[in-house]
Amino acid sequence: LGGVIVTNDHVVKNEQLVTVYLDSATRVPAQVVARDRPNDIAVLRIPPGRCAKCARFQAAAPTSQARIVSAGDKLLALGFPLS
């Protein structure tokens, strides 16, 4: 499936393909798969295997029947521009 990244919509502007910096030297192509302009949220996907050492955020165990995220849930996107 590749990695999923949540960022601000204003960061990706009107693009469908963008570049993600995983660190100060590693650039990876990403596809914009969803966006919510009024709430300034965008979801990106990077190719599988391009970030094998990246930290993973696990919202629930893969075998869990627990609800992970539903429409209307509040989410928070964190970032640090320029590294």
Side-chain angles (χ1 to χ4, degrees):
L1 290 174
V4 175
I5 299 168
V6 177
T7 189
N8 295 104
D9 184 64
H10 74 267
V11 172
V12 298
K13 300 183 182 174
N14 291 319
E15 302 297 325
Q16 286 302 311
L17 296 175
V18 295
T19 299
V20 173
Y21 284 84
L22 301 177
D23 55 40
S24 61
T26 309
R27 293 171 35 163
V28 176
Q31 179 182 11
V32 179
V33 294
R35 60 185 348 144
D36 180 345
R37 288 189 174 111
N39 290 301
D40 196 26
I41 297 289
V43 179
L44 314 177
R45 184 178 307 277
I46 62 174
R50 291 303 302 263
C51 192
K53 295 181 181 180
C54 291
R56 302 289 190 251
F57 174 75
Q58 188 170 334
T63 58
S64 170
Q65 295 300 316
R67 178 177 67 89
I68 297 175
V69 178
S70 294
D73 287 352
K74 291 191 180 214
L75 296 176
L76 179 65
L78 301 175
F80 188 76
L82 306 176
S83 298

